Amino acid sequence: MSTPRPAAVIVLAAGEGTRMKSATPKVLHRIGGTTLLGHAVRAARGTGAEHVEVVVRHERDRVVEFCAAFDDGLVIADQDEVKGTGRAVECGLDALPADLSGTVLVTYGDVPLLTGETLVALTAEHEASGSAVSIVTAHLPDPTGYGRVVRDAGGRVERVVEQKDASDDERAITEINSGIYAFEAAVLREALAGVGTDNAQGEKYLTDVVAIARGLGREVRAHVVEDVWQTEGVNDRVQLAALGRELNRRVCERHMREGVTIVDPATTWIDVDVAIGRDTTVLPGTQLLGATSIGSGAVIGPEVTLTDTEVGDGAEVQRAVARLAIVGPGATVGPYSYLRPGTRLGARGKIGGFVETKNADIREGAKVPHLTYAGDVTIGEGANIGAGTIFANYDGVAKHHSTVGRHSFVGSATVVVSPVDIADGAYVAAGTALTADVDPGQIAVARTHQRNVDGWVERRRAGTRTAAAAAEALERGGDDDAHDDAPTSESENR
């Protein structure tokens, strides 16, 4: 037997969200790597509904722009000047086919923990019961701010009353209306036509549909959820942070149950789209963001931030930042490395301490161990880049690319002035400023001769502590015995 699916899901995202105190529309604030509205759309898509619609009004163009980029199959409906959730749903129905029949779900763009599974269960129970309206409800110890579900003497749902319109007895009710509904499409259309604005807010309440449906003799049922977090909406930044923490807790728990070791979930943040293989260990202070993908048996952390980055099986990344980068199987990164977009580190390669890379293709077994900038460069298999090397890729106008061949060696403190090609099996001497290509088997040396100029400190730095120290050393006949064989004049060093 196939799972029932709704004919349409209407996601309400027209509100201003003034309590966020933000220039960004409330539904475009982010947790878990996507916007609140993105989470809501994913839950709606999880029902398999033929039509998924977003109702917009506040900052309409920005919200529509997000919708187009996130899911170009969404139906967009505009709410007019009439306020209220009832009017928002009415505008949503007007944008759907006039002959739409079946179940219509209504959800919100600021309820990020609601799942597609819950909406599917709501649809199945609604259709199996033959109800005209089904309401997602929950019991809260403190229901302040929520509409209350009023039941009759037989325990059936009679109506929903908003807090501002509720009596003292009604405010004492702990069963709250989440605002998430399943409706029979025909009943919803008919009932909305009869909803007015005679209430404390002067708005067209969707909740009034419940009483109207009951007046028509139709069944109204409650779909009670135990997971109260799924009914929680975001009204301010305090709630945004609370829901973000809870979402992250659930994401971490899911990965741990699938075979990932997360040493300290409280300091580990993982976005919802991140993939992690079994037997990987994630150490404290780690952030795995965007579409990051990590293989099995890897060690990530401590203090690592990876954004849209791919890490292979068995790789190790510690105290590093990477964005739009690839780290191959068995490779090592860190500590204190910065992998900028376009970095590709091959299998068993190494990017070491205080190394920055950008558009760098570092191939299998190649090493960039420490204190290096490697930008716009291809480093061949097994090559080694000495400490303090700089690939000077920018001439002030354009970026240029250099190549280091297989099993070649670039000595420490080298400046590679791009574009140059260092062939396979070549050497570059330490301290070289390389401006020309190097052929296979060659060693390139590009240094000036050392000159030791006598008396320079006495003439140019007279009166300083350095000059005093030099004078004392000269009186002793030299600083120490270790320098007895060093050249002492400019002529001796030529």
Side-chain angles (χ1 to χ4, degrees):
M1 181 177 173
S2 61
T3 302
R5 65 174 188 167
V9 182
I10 301 175
V11 181
L12 305 186
E16 187 172 351
T18 55
R19 280 180 281 175
M20 295 296 289
K21 292 182 170 59
S22 176
T24 299
K26 178 175 71 172
V27 296
L28 298 188
H29 282 264
R30 306 177 74 89
I31 61 172
T34 191
T35 64
L36 300 178
L37 181 54
H39 289 292
V41 168
R42 285 183 174 180
R45 283 294 185 201
T47 66
E50 183 178 356
H51 307 283
V52 175
E53 178 182 71
V54 178
V55 181
V56 297
R57 185 168 185 271
H58 177 68
E59 292 280 0
R60 181 229 186 248
D61 291 346
R62 291 177 66 182
V63 177
V64 170
E65 181 182 10
F66 166 78
C67 289
F70 188 81
D71 183 341
D72 61 6
L74 294 172
V75 178
I76 302 299
D78 289 283
Q79 184 174 356
D80 56 20
E81 298 299 319
V82 179
K83 295 181 179 180
T85 52
R87 182 56 182 166
V89 172
E90 199 168 29
C91 292
L93 284 174
D94 289 344
L96 294 172
D99 60 350
L100 183 76
S101 62
T103 300
V104 175
L105 302 185
V106 175
T107 72
Y108 296 84
D110 63 352
V111 185
L113 268 59
L114 178 67
T115 66
E117 290 80 5
T118 294
L119 293 177
V120 168
L122 169 64
T123 303
E125 184 179 288
H126 172 76
E127 295 187 356
S129 68
S131 298
V133 182
S134 295
I135 312 169
V136 174
T137 72
H139 289 275
L140 298 182
D142 179 8
T144 303
Y146 288 91
R148 308 303 202 276
V149 177
V150 180
R151 294 177 179 260
D152 62 19
R156 296 183 304 168
V157 175
E158 185 175 84
R159 58 193 172 88
V160 174
V161 59
E162 297 296 332
Q163 168 143 336
K164 292 181 179 180
D165 300 312
S167 66
D168 289 342
D169 287 343
E170 289 167 342
R171 290 183 184 185
I173 296 170
T174 61
E175 185 176 13
I176 60 96
N177 170 32
S178 70
I180 301 162
Y181 295 89
F183 295 102
E184 183 183 312
V187 173
L188 180 60
R189 287 186 187 277
E190 182 180 355
L192 283 173
V195 173
T197 58
D198 184 17
N199 51 62
Q201 296 291 94
E203 297 181 2
K204 194 163 186 174
Y205 287 157
L206 183 59
T207 52
D208 289 349
V209 172
V210 174
I212 292 173
R214 281 295 304 271
L216 295 172
R218 299 300 303 272
E219 184 73 17
V220 177
R221 299 177 64 90
H223 180 81
V224 183
V225 296
E226 298 298 326
D227 183 6
V228 177
W229 283 104
Q230 292 198 49
T231 70
E232 290 281 344
V234 172
N235 291 304
D236 58 30
R237 302 196 195 226
V238 175
Q239 291 175 315
L240 181 73
L243 284 164
R245 285 192 299 271
E246 176 60 19
L247 176 61
N248 188 68
R249 186 195 68 78
R250 295 178 181 215
V251 171
C252 287
E253 181 177 302
R254 171 170 58 83
H255 285 294
M256 289 187 287
R257 294 191 184 283
E258 291 174 355
V260 177
T261 296
I262 300 177
V263 174
D264 184 12
T267 62
T268 301
W269 289 84
I270 305 176
D271 282 351
V272 294
D273 288 330
V274 170
I276 309 175
R278 288 185 178 181
D279 294 318
T280 282
T281 298
V282 181
L283 297 174
T286 293
Q287 298 180 80
L288 305 177
L289 309 177
T292 291
S293 174
I294 299 170
S296 61
V299 178
I300 310 297
E303 299 171 13
V304 165
T305 299
L306 306 180
T307 305
D308 299 326
T309 291
E310 179 183 328
V311 179
D313 295 346
E316 297 184 12
V317 183
Q318 62 169 312
R319 291 187 170 87
V321 175
R323 183 180 184 87
L324 289 168
I326 297 175
V327 177
T332 61
V333 175
Y336 307 110
S337 305
Y338 181 22
L339 280 59
R340 292 166 59 190
T343 296
R344 299 175 62 93
L345 177 61
R348 297 178 297 285
K350 178 176 183 178
I351 294 175
F354 299 98
V355 171
E356 180 178 346
T357 60
K358 188 270 294 181
N359 283 339
D361 185 0
I362 302 166
R363 297 186 176 172
E364 183 174 350
K367 298 178 180 179
V368 187
H370 31 225
L371 301 165
T372 288
Y373 172 67
D376 296 298
V377 61
T378 299
I379 298 173
E381 174 189 346
N384 188 87
I385 308 300
T389 295
I390 295 173
F391 288 85
N393 57 326
Y394 183 51
D395 63 7
V397 177
K399 300 289 181 71
H400 300 281
H401 185 271
S402 287
T403 301
V404 178
R406 296 169 55 252
H407 302 290
S408 289
F409 185 97
V410 176
S412 298
T414 291
V415 178
V416 179
V417 183
S418 299
V420 295
D421 291 326
I422 302 167
D424 295 349
Y427 269 69
V428 177
T432 289
L434 189 70
T435 59
D437 295 348
V438 185
D439 291 336
Q442 292 183 335
I443 182 170
V445 184
R447 306 172 182 153
T448 59
H449 290 291
Q450 181 175 327
R451 297 171 61 225
N452 296 356
V453 181
D454 290 335
W456 186 91
V457 171
E458 181 182 6
R459 294 192 301 274
R460 297 297 183 90
R461 297 292 184 267
T464 65
R465 292 180 182 179
T466 303
E472 292 172 5
L474 288 170
E475 288 177 5
R476 294 196 305 268
D479 198 21
D480 55 55
D481 293 342
H483 294 159
D484 285 350
D485 296 330
T488 57
S489 69
E490 181 179 346
S491 60
E492 288 178 324
N493 197 48
R494 290 176 179 169

